[in-house]
Amino acid sequence: MKTLTTVEALRAALWHEMRRDRRVILLGEDIGVYGGAFGVTRGLLDEFGPERVINTPISEMSFTGAAIGAALAGLRPVVEIMFMDFITLAMDPLVNWAAKLRYVYDRACPLVVRTPAGGGRGYGPTHSQCFESWFFHVPGLWIAVPSTPADAAGLLRTAIRTENPVLFVEHKRLYGRKGGVSDRLPPVPFGSARIVRKGKDLTLAAWSWMVAEAEEAAQRLAEEGIEAEVLDLRTLVPLDLERLAESVRRTHRLMIVEEGVRSGGAAAEVAARVGESVFEYLDAPIQRVTTPEIPIPASPSLERAAIPNSERIVREAFRLMREFS
Amino acid sequence: MKTLTTVEALRAALWHEMRRDRRVILLGEDIGVYGGAFGVTRGLLDEFGPERVINTPISEMSFTGAAIGAALAGLRPVVEIMFMDFITLAMDPLVNWAAKLRYVYDRACPLVVRTPAGGGRGYGPTHSQCFESWFFHVPGLWIAVPSTPADAAGLLRTAIRTENPVLFVEHKRLYGRKGGVSDRLPPVPFGSARIVRKGKDLTLAAWSWMVAEAEEAAQRLAEEGIEAEVLDLRTLVPLDLERLAESVRRTHRLMIVEEGVRSGGAAAEVAARVGESVFEYLDAPIQRVTTPEIPIPASPSLERAAIPNSERIVREAFRLMREFS
Amino acid sequence: MRSRRELYLRLWLIRLFEQKVENLFAKGVLHGTTHTAIGQEAAAVGACSALGPRDVVLSTHRGHGHLIARGGDPCRMMAELFGRETGYSRGRGGSQMMADPSIGFWGSNGITGGGLPIAVGAALAFRLRKERRVALCFFGDGAANQGMFHESLNMAGLWKLPVLFLCENNGYAMSTPTAAASAVPAIAVKAAAYGMPGVTVDGNDLFAVFRAVSEARRRALRGEGPTLIECRTYRLSGHSRGDPRSYRTRAEEAAWRRRDPLRRFRAELKRQGEWDEATERAVRREAARRIAEAIRYARRSPFPDHEAMEKGVFA
Amino acid sequence: MRSRRELYLRLWLIRLFEQKVENLFAKGVLHGTTHTAIGQEAAAVGACSALGPRDVVLSTHRGHGHLIARGGDPCRMMAELFGRETGYSRGRGGSQMMADPSIGFWGSNGITGGGLPIAVGAALAFRLRKERRVALCFFGDGAANQGMFHESLNMAGLWKLPVLFLCENNGYAMSTPTAAASAVPAIAVKAAAYGMPGVTVDGNDLFAVFRAVSEARRRALRGEGPTLIECRTYRLSGHSRGDPRSYRTRAEEAAWRRRDPLRRFRAELKRQGEWDEATERAVRREAARRIAEAIRYARRSPFPDHEAMEKGVFA
Ligand SMILES: Cc1ncc(C[n+]2csc(CCOP(=O)(O)OP(=O)(O)O)c2C)c(N)n1
Ligand SMILES: Cc1ncc(C[n+]2csc(CCOP(=O)(O)OP(=O)(O)O)c2C)c(N)n1
Ligand SMILES: [Mg+2]
Ligand SMILES: [Mg+2]
């Protein structure tokens, strides 16, 4: 066990997988000498050479498409899209190719698309977005949304090893976060939520950076006598509905925390599924705590007000407990 | 009042708006001589000339971007994306430009993007998809999803006149459908759902082609003594939550019919909002009838089995009434 | 190069397959949409016969001809069009999505230009693993206006990848003449922006296409990078079913019909003294027999099982 | 052309603005990200001073210089960087999203290449309405590899639109040398694929840029279509804050520092006998004063009201 930042954990996972399997290659903008905009691939060029750490032109659409071609040819490409906001440019190969190859052609497409998402750094409207929810609506893609260094590394290892194409969402605020990681970086299975904290009054479900906010909120709620259970979904596809339902059957209240804007977010899908499966156990409407329906503003003052944080979760939880007790 | 197909109604709306306002221009692939893949723009080139009916190269990303530029310059462009499946290529200008211009730069972007969506014609995995739900998750865009010739024309007229960018979804199966349209093609406001049929036992909410299926289902249910209320949402953004909630407060049961694949669909969002607002009135979990999590198969036999239809709605409604009565 | 008889057979197989498909759509037996390649057979057969068995081909929405040229099975193709379980994509893909990896045919596709980056990635993998293979991507004049054309050719030129970009310039993208959509309608000229050679050949001359692709393939295998090959051709049929062809004249069509690639090939065989009436009859008869067999096969095949419909989205 | 003094002042305004911005980020006063244009001032000022008042400019992520060159208000720019209500985007846009339509500056943007199609559409509208205006879009060498470069230039060339594509080729896209990302690193060469002239000028020579843009603008207004102008330049600072510049040598930087556009401009003025110590001091002093004022303005400005945060998404 050692303590690593998420950047270090991700880099270690890439390093191990590239060591283990010569088919693993990396593609992306400035991932070579520069080590990627956030330093995740730093040093890998020296270690594995330019044939496997491929610095691409600024051509998100086609280097993503090329990675699909390379996957079909037997490699296991890991693509970096510098900011998730730019995945708008790579939608076609992901949606109309990668996601459909198994179903239509029965072909494996072992592709991982890593991309930093989310706000909190004052990067403004086109460098702060969360789009994982779009891909929820695209059958054929797995979606990983880790919240700790250990899970980041473990899920990335699984992502690289599966035959399915994977969207791998890395939160920018997570990069510098430290956490314990076992030396052997054990792969983490997809589809298994993590119970971050046990509780009986309320379930807080979250993913990616919002897990940290939910955890902090739960701590404060505990001080006020409210025991919130915190679930880290870890992957959206597959979704661990079972653990979610099990938790809600005990707590009778569910609050989902999502950084993305409210409408059409993954929280809605999670809410709908839980609603369908354990409706009778619910003592309160399922709550969503999300960013409001706006582009993410650059001004730190506005951005802080826009993106959910532990205070807001606490406030909303109090309201929920008060209104439906 | 006359009887028109949806194609004719849409064409008439375009014609009237182009007549009324010289700023209205059309851009798209093969919209000139050919009249568009589905004939919506047929004849408009002759009437308005190549300066206003602009046949573009196959460059979805950039002619959509160019339309945004033209909108900023004071025109009112109406773009046709030949199949909604190709909007994957135009995500960037729509998401990172059109949707943000008002909020960030306080500039009007009077752009309409018309696009045929949906299956039922055996066009296969890349020509049958519904992606309107993605745009639900993009603050700054209006979304129209008409289900009748009259609404298609009326909503299109409103779309062309608003200062907001609009995604205008035309269902392929609707094109040939006939319906009464008043001679003056009255604009239809956004954000106002239409009560297609009154009922007291159950609310069926739908949009686009699924309204026809829901209506047919309601008829059959009526024969069996179940009075379903059918709501046509007409626009997803703005969403007429009030009318939905009002209906559910009376019927206590909501079933949402969506042609898109289940996960992350707009139905989840509608369910979540209704759940939040009238939870106490619900006697049953909100149901979603959708396409399963698969690419849309080409084979007519599979496609019919995949996409929701009136029989399935009837079956699901019976199950709901039985299980939660 | 395959035997001339075999090449001639492939040309006829494509021609008859496509005619039959148009017929079945017109009669309402088949539904959905389809894009036939009548008039473009020589480019498909000429290009594919210059490839090695381990090379891969990426195709387009107009892909039937490419698949037959590569050695695809008309039975499984027809079954796919009929939406049957025995089709290339088990009825899931339809006319625009068929693949046969066993013969290096990685698929037609419904996205104009979509195959280009895939081919680049395949070539990248071949180079990395030091495999002596090339990827060939068919695309149309219309596809050359897509952003991915630019991005893909740039990467291929930059990295000198073993990929062949084969443009079937048939003069139109749907209803749009090449010159009405491309600022420089000579597609091969665009190669200059990507540091690769651009060559233009008569796409209705099978041998010319064969030679150009063979040469480009040799270059690619020598590590000298990609080539853009523009085949000037014409689709004698409509863009897709129900196309009234109001965007072009019947006279233009007639002129191109005189340059029919099958007739051209026959003339060439004659010139080389390799043609006789008996071969002609035998080839046509065999082609007709195989297409008839394909239809029988398709009709007799079962529809896909609805129970299994949700299976196979993930590994 | 503006007075030489005015041009010189703009160059200095950009230089000092950018230095101050780097400084404020380094000190942790400002947060987020920013891309400064130190070393590229001449291209911005040369290009913008060749435009008419009704022309429009589309900019990039590295847009401060373009906005100042177009006549933007450093106070409102600085306020935007400080996230204040008085900023160009009321704090919503930040460094990469500022616009001032009143002076025909339609915005910087965070998407590499994103401005290109917007400029094409603006030009389309100008032509349609018979307005004598052009759209100019700045973009980088890296942006030239984006699909929208291809699509946008093709449409502009095809339709002969009054748009100027101004590439600031500063040798790098972030850490990637132009030649490591573009198969043909001479950007102007690509114009040939779009039926428009491509010209290369010394981007650190304000007058050369001015002349090229003036000529291209005249062509555009004559209805002869777009021009691709490649300005060879160099960013003397890092790509964005915190860039260790490990991808290039200090020697290379020093060589370019000797070609500093401000120094070049001064030399040119001297040559023309239009320079004296007094002007130099006055210009620098005025620039410094205005930047100091901008910072004061920004600091004194209120933060945006949280209550209004959700307003203004729709008309
Ligand atoms: C991204 C995308 N845009 C548009 C279409 C619709 N479409 C199908 S084929 C076609 C024309 C293609 O022209 P070209 O590339 O010249 O090929 P051809 O049909 O002439 O063989 C169009 C516009 C599509 N399938 N995909
Ligand atoms: C679509 C997109 N991809 C990547 C980025 C990240 N990025 C910002 S600037 C930049 C380099 C751009 O290079 P160039 O166009 O040469 O402009 P320069 O920075 O040199 O001025 C990159 C990769 C982005 N902002 N948008
Ligand atoms: Mg063509
Ligand atoms: Mg650059």
Side-chain angles (χ1 to χ4, degrees), chain A residues 263-320:
Chain A
S263 274
E269 176 62 31
V270 173
R273 289 213 210 159
V274 172
E276 283 153 11
S277 76
V278 293
F279 177 73
E280 307 85 342
Y281 291 86
L282 285 170
D283 286 349
I286 298 173
Q287 300 292 310
R288 295 179 291 163
V289 180
T290 71
T291 295
E293 305 287 317
I294 55 170
I296 311 302
S299 173
S301 113
L302 288 178
E303 196 184 26
R304 257 194 310 276
I307 297 177
N309 55 22
S310 56
E311 290 99 73
R312 208 158 104 207
I313 300 168
V314 167
R315 211 162 51 232
E316 292 290 320
F318 271 126
R319 200 184 47 72
L320 181 68

Side-chain angles (χ1 to χ4, degrees), chain D residues 40 61-62 139-143 168-174 176 178 235:
Chain D
Q40 303 185 193
H61 58 288
R62 197 178 304 288
F139 65 102
D141 48 289
E168 294 177 288
N169 183 349
N170 60 9
Y172 294 88
M174 204 157 157
T176 307
T178 310
R235 72 170 146 68

Side-chain angles (χ1 to χ4, degrees), chain A residues 92 96, chain B residues 29-30 37 56-60 63 81-83 85-89 126-127, chain C residues 35-37 40 60-63 66 96 109-114 139-146 148 167-176 178 235 238-240:
Chain A
D92 192 69
N96 284 325
Chain B
E29 292 158 13
D30 303 285
T56 63
I58 308 177
S59 306
E60 284 84 0
F63 69 69
I81 302 277
M82 199 185 282
F83 284 77
D85 311 69
F86 315 150
I87 213 162
T88 48
L89 293 162
T126 60
H127 285 66
Chain C
H35 310 83
T36 57
Q40 303 185 193
T60 67
H61 58 289
R62 197 178 303 289
H66 306 147
Q96 297 189 79
N109 86 87
I111 303 300
T112 302
F139 65 102
D141 48 287
N145 299 318
Q146 286 282 38
M148 44 207 150
C167 180
E168 294 176 289
N169 182 349
N170 59 9
Y172 294 89
M174 206 159 156
S175 73
T176 307
T178 310
R235 71 171 146 68
H239 166 72
S240 60

